[in-house]
Amino acid sequence: MRMQRLKRFFGVVPAIVSIAVVLVGGCRKIETTHKASGQETNVPPAEVRIGYFGNLTHAQAVLGVSSGEFGEAIKPSVLTAKVFNAGPSLIEALLAGEIDVGYVGPGPVLNAHLRGRGKDVRVISAAAANGVLIVARKDSGIEKLEDLKGKRVATPQHGNTQDIAARHYLTHVLGQEDAANVVPIANPEQLKMMEDGQIDAAWAPEPWGSRLVAQAGAHVVAEEKDIWPAKVFVLTLVITTPRFLENHPDVVRKMLEVHHHWTVRLQREPEKYAPRLEEALFALSGKKLPPGVLESSIQTVRFLDDPLPDTIKTMGDWAYDLKLAPHPPDLTGLIDTSILKRIETQKSAP
């Protein structure tokens, strides 16, 4: 009797094992299919960290954070914001895993792309074009771009987008032997240095350029767009890492929806939103802009979502010429605006 029970038991075991194998295999198949479909496999992150500058040219980020729209869009994730002075430091934070999404100029982005061999950064949108003034201190003797030769020219940070443009113009257009007269100085610190005569000019994004005009008595020599053949160049890009884009496409979509909404608002009625932007910038810097500065400087900026790849490549050429980039520019794999294009299509549909 006992022997018969054992035979029945051991006869059942293979069947149970076979069923278990089928079930496990089926689950793995479902999981593989789910991943292959491109759907998000991770739960929403507890925290989403965004980095940007307290500049007019980062208006979508400034307003998206200050209005609470980014934070509301990504719930239940919590938004954390960090403000940077210039691009290289923001890129370092992105690569170190300290931020997830950033607003930054194309120069540092392309350099990171080349150094990482296309594995470290993705451009998911643009934010702004133009919006850079070249201003000179009164009594500096600078009246036109050619007069910058040999003068002390301030830029926000070594290797940032304005720094690359200034160094390339001085050396490759004006024919200086080197760019030793280009002095990297944080935007908020340039005012006092210009008032004290320590710098002659500044290659400055808005509203910092207009602030130097209003408070330091500087005058506008040119807008940077004047040195571009088509009078337009991308200034601010929206970036993330390939890993964050792959793991959290839904979060990226929600943030880009807010970003695109602000782009459209600023395109249509920049004057309407200038007071809100000025208030938000004051909250970030603790420094009030002189009356009329923001209203004036916002006219020099083109708000857009198009990354203008040709102008990114040109900046890459400049960085390589200056030995600030390890290779000639190669944009392969850098730009992924697929989510943005779906948003734009949906918004434009009747």
Side-chain angles (χ1 to χ4, degrees):
M1 188 71 173
R2 184 177 180 184
M3 184 64 67
Q4 289 176 346
R5 288 177 181 174
L6 288 173
K7 286 181 179 179
R8 285 199 300 269
F9 173 76
F10 284 110
V12 170
V13 169
I16 293 173
V17 172
S18 298
I19 293 170
V21 169
V22 170
L23 289 174
V24 171
C27 290
R28 285 178 178 170
K29 184 176 180 181
I30 291 171
E31 181 182 0
T32 302
T33 303
H34 183 64
K35 287 182 178 179
S37 69
Q39 296 177 10
E40 185 175 358
T41 57
N42 289 359
V43 297
E47 180 185 33
V48 177
R49 301 156 302 173
I50 184 172
Y52 58 100
F53 308 169
N55 288 357
L56 166 61
T57 53
H58 291 220
Q60 294 96 322
V62 174
L63 291 167
V65 172
S66 66
S67 67
E69 291 177 38
F70 275 138
E72 188 66 28
I74 65 170
K75 285 182 175 179
S77 302
V78 175
L79 184 75
T80 301
K82 184 174 182 180
V83 179
F84 295 81
N85 172 66
S89 54
L90 185 144
I91 290 291
E92 288 176 9
L94 183 81
L95 299 183
E98 296 170 2
I99 62 171
D100 304 304
V101 176
Y103 284 64
V104 66
V109 170
L110 190 53
N111 194 33
H113 174 69
L114 295 175
R115 291 185 183 279
R117 300 185 182 276
K119 298 178 181 179
D120 291 340
V121 62
R122 290 291 180 271
V123 172
I124 54 177
S125 180
N130 301 349
V132 176
L133 298 186
I134 302 159
V135 302
R137 175 177 53 82
K138 56 185 177 182
D139 304 325
S140 65
I142 302 171
E143 298 298 332
K144 54 187 183 301
L145 287 171
E146 291 75 10
D147 297 333
L148 292 171
K149 191 172 182 179
K151 301 291 187 177
R152 293 163 295 178
V153 181
T155 62
Q157 186 176 10
H158 182 71
N160 96 309
T161 304
Q162 290 79 56
D163 189 74
I164 291 171
R167 290 175 186 275
H168 188 270
Y169 185 80
L170 291 170
T171 56
H172 289 73
V173 179
L174 297 188
Q176 286 188 187
E177 184 177 346
D178 57 43
N181 57 317
V182 176
V183 188
I185 303 167
N187 289 313
E189 298 171 13
Q190 292 178 12
L191 175 62
K192 187 175 188 312
M193 294 191 72
M194 183 168 282
E195 289 175 334
D196 292 344
Q198 297 180 57
I199 56 174
D200 302 307
W203 205 290
E206 291 285 40
W208 301 103
S210 292
R211 179 174 177 245
L212 291 172
V213 172
Q215 293 185 286
H219 60 273
V220 178
V221 178
E223 294 185 44
E224 188 186 321
K225 71 180 180 64
D226 297 335
I227 70 175
W228 288 81
K231 304 297 183 185
V232 62
F233 64 98
V234 71
L235 182 65
T236 309
L237 298 171
V238 187
I239 62 171
T240 187
T241 62
R243 182 177 180 179
F244 191 82
L245 182 59
E246 180 182 358
N247 289 342
H248 303 293
D250 193 48
V251 172
V252 172
R253 176 185 58 78
K254 291 173 181 177
M255 295 192 74
L256 283 178
E257 285 177 344
V258 174
H259 168 85
H260 177 66
H261 190 37
W262 274 110
T263 297
V264 172
R265 288 168 169 170
L266 291 164
Q267 285 174 338
R268 292 175 177 172
E269 300 178 286
E271 300 86 356
K272 176 180 178 180
Y273 297 102
R276 290 181 64 177
L277 182 56
E278 184 171 15
E279 183 179 339
L281 290 172
F282 173 66
L284 292 176
S285 68
K287 299 183 179 182
K288 195 76 172 175
L289 290 171
V293 165
L294 193 67
E295 289 79 3
S296 171
S297 58
I298 204 169
Q299 302 300 324
T300 70
V301 180
R302 282 182 57 178
F303 297 102
L304 77 177
D305 292 336
D306 183 355
L308 303 178
D310 289 345
T311 65
I312 298 177
K313 184 179 183 304
T314 297
M315 293 178 195
D317 289 331
W318 292 353
Y320 181 68
D321 292 342
L322 294 166
K323 296 182 172 52
L324 294 174
H327 310 289
D330 180 0
L331 304 190
T332 303
L334 173 61
I335 300 172
D336 184 350
T337 54
S338 55
I339 295 177
L340 175 69
K341 288 175 182 176
R342 289 198 295 271
I343 293 169
E344 291 175 338
T345 300
Q346 293 166 359
K347 297 295 183 182
S348 62

